Amino acid sequence: QCDWSSDVCSSDLKGCCSTPQDVFTALDGPKRLSDEREWFLPAIMPTKSYGLLSGPIGAGKSSIVGYVVAELTKQGFVVRYCVEDEPEDAARHRLRLLDADLGRVTFDDVPDLSQDEDIERYARSCAGAGVDLLVMDLFQTANPGYEENRPEKVKQWVGKVVQKFCHTYGVGILGTHHWNNNSKAGSHMARLSGGGAVAAKAEFVWNVALSND
């Protein structure tokens, strides 16, 4: 079950996705905003923005990322895929099965973005390589000093990353994040580790859950 929500839309988009193929059916809603903005996916995923895909282990986050990346490369966008949650060969194989243009995808390890100079250096590297979207498995692993029990510090760090990548260099970010396994109650947003700190600066948040969750 996917619960799609976005700050850039006037209301939540919600749909049940029994298979990854249903993702774009759920996303194919009417445009609620003007066409002046540039989009990766119309009215749901803007360019030059930060978004988060969250959910428990095994809910299909990697499959959804695969479909998004494949779709974007077919549109001519360039994606840098920082793989943490699965072997690069597995991610590459999934994209090949989805007919992604692998010539528009580069793979990398999740970078260390804990320091301001690291953020600047990697953002500049992405922009110099013509990257439109940076996909980062387990977004918080880009900060080795990440402490989910200190949400204000996490929010400050996320804000620096978003400012430099999205606003200064025009590189969008799609991060993934595991739900807090210790939490089984409350809203989807409440289950984000760190009290939702990693989602604080997100323009869109996609929550995907297991059918019995």
Side-chain angles (χ1 to χ4, degrees):
Q1 179 179 355
C2 297
D3 173 15
W4 310 95
S5 61
S6 172
D7 291 341
V8 301
C9 295
S10 61
S11 63
D12 289 352
L13 296 178
K14 298 181 179 180
C16 294
C17 303
S18 58
T19 68
Q21 290 93 328
D22 294 331
V23 169
F24 293 113
T25 300
L27 296 179
D28 190 19
K31 289 189 178 181
R32 291 176 166 83
L33 301 177
S34 95
D35 290 331
E36 294 178 359
R37 185 152 194 188
E38 296 180 355
W39 302 91
F40 287 130
L41 299 174
I44 190 67
M45 186 180 183
T47 62
K48 304 176 184 178
S49 65
Y50 162 55
L52 196 67
L53 171 62
S54 70
I57 295 174
K61 295 187 298 298
S62 295
S63 295
I64 292 174
V65 166
Y67 275 85
V68 170
V69 171
E71 178 65 20
L72 266 53
T73 63
K74 293 173 187 177
Q75 296 180 33
F77 291 110
V78 175
V79 179
R80 180 171 291 181
Y81 195 168
C82 295
V83 180
E84 172 76 16
D85 229 8
E86 65 177 344
E88 178 184 325
D89 288 348
R92 190 183 295 274
H93 179 66
R94 177 183 294 109
L95 293 177
R96 188 177 294 112
L97 293 176
L98 294 169
D99 294 323
D101 183 350
L102 290 177
R104 294 186 175 275
V105 183
T106 58
F107 292 87
D108 197 1
D109 295 328
V110 174
D112 182 344
L113 301 178
S114 55
Q115 303 299 319
D116 291 354
E117 56 268 28
D118 298 325
I119 297 172
E120 167 69 30
R121 186 183 307 110
Y122 201 73
R124 189 171 62 245
S125 168
C126 288
V131 173
D132 297 299
L133 179 69
L134 175 65
V135 177
M136 296 174 62
D137 275 351
L138 296 180
F139 181 66
Q140 72 275 19
T141 60
N143 185 352
Y146 172 83
E147 298 178 64
E148 65 181 43
N149 61 343
R150 302 185 67 182
E152 288 306 316
K153 294 202 70 171
V154 175
K155 289 178 183 177
Q156 291 174 7
W157 170 71
V158 172
K160 291 179 181 180
V161 173
V162 172
Q163 177 64 39
K164 190 62 66 174
F165 278 82
C166 303
H167 303 158
T168 301
Y169 287 102
V171 178
I173 299 174
L174 176 60
T176 66
H177 190 74
H178 290 331
W179 278 356
N180 186 345
N181 291 331
N182 294 324
S183 176
K184 292 295 182 182
S187 69
H188 290 186
M189 285 301 294
R191 297 187 189 186
L192 282 169
S193 296
V198 291
K201 300 294 183 179
E203 285 203 55
F204 60 93
V205 176
W206 300 341
N207 292 312
V208 58
L210 298 170
S211 59
N212 60 348
D213 195 7

